[in-house]
């Protein structure tokens, strides 16, 4: 057996261990919405639909850059109740610099993510969408 074969095998095993720890640790799971969130309404979205929309919003904002067109496409034309459902489903994933980072970030709600990822007219447009919900923009 050549030395390079051992090195490749070691790297593969180490990678498998890191992946297993990553999946089992729970550090990378989306955080739950605050249980003391006191908002009117309720929802007309199923939990699955709200979760899927929340995941698409997260994907549009995590990492470098923000896919503003996805954010507005997902949220414009939603009822106040649907927006509340989406807000609750989004929860408080960790935010640090350019989106999610479970080691250095802080739990941040959807409005906090918008404040970090949007600016100018885009941020004002987003605030107008959410104004009908009576949620407190933080």
């Amino acid at each position: 057996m050549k030395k390079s074969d051992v090195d490749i095998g070691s790297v593969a095993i180490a990678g498998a261990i890191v992946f297993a720890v990553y999946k089992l640790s729970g550090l990378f799971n989306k955080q739950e919405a605050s249980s003391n969130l006191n908002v009117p309404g309720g929802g007309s979205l199923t939990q699955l639909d709200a979760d899927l929309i929340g995941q698409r919003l997260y994907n549009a904002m995590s990492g470098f850059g923000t896919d503003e067109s996805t954010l507005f496409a997902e949220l414009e034309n939603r009822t106040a109740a649907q927006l509340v459902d989406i807000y609750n489903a989004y929860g408080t994933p960790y935010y640090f610099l350019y989106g999610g980072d479970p080691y250095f970030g802080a739990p941040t709600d959807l409005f906090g993510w918008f404040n970090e990822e949007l600016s100018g007219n885009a941020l004002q447009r987003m605030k107008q969408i959410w104004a009908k919900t009576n949620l407190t923009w933080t």
Side-chain angles (χ1 to χ4, degrees):
M1 186 179 289
K2 295 189 266 182
K3 182 174 168 58
S4 63
D5 292 338
V6 173
D7 291 342
I8 292 171
S10 298
V11 169
I13 291 170
I17 291 170
V18 168
F19 179 75
V21 169
Y22 165 83
K23 290 304 258 183
L24 296 175
S25 69
L27 291 174
F28 299 94
N29 292 339
K30 186 173 73 168
Q31 302 297 307
E32 292 300 319
S34 172
S35 60
N36 64 2
L37 184 63
N38 184 19
V39 294
S44 56
L45 291 175
T46 66
Q47 184 65 48
L48 177 60
D49 288 340
D51 288 342
L52 290 172
I53 294 166
Q55 187 61 51
R56 287 194 292 267
L57 297 177
Y58 176 83
N59 292 344
M61 293 186 285
S62 65
F64 293 102
T66 301
D67 183 359
E68 292 178 6
S69 62
T70 296
L71 298 179
F72 291 112
E74 290 290 346
L75 299 173
E76 283 182 329
N77 303 317
R78 298 275 181 196
T79 66
Q82 289 172 335
L83 290 171
V84 170
D85 287 344
I86 293 165
Y87 178 90
N88 288 327
Y90 191 82
T92 56
Y94 284 77
Y95 188 93
F96 180 73
L97 292 178
Y98 301 106
D101 187 325
Y103 294 113
F104 300 106
T108 306
D109 72 353
L110 186 56
F111 297 148
W113 278 75
F114 290 152
N115 287 332
E116 294 294 332
E117 296 290 323
L118 301 174
S119 62
N121 291 337
L123 183 59
Q124 292 309 312
R125 181 177 168 195
M126 188 60 73
K127 286 182 177 183
Q128 288 174 345
I129 291 170
W130 288 86
K132 61 186 164 192
T133 65
N134 294 324
L135 291 172
T136 302
W137 191 282
T138 54

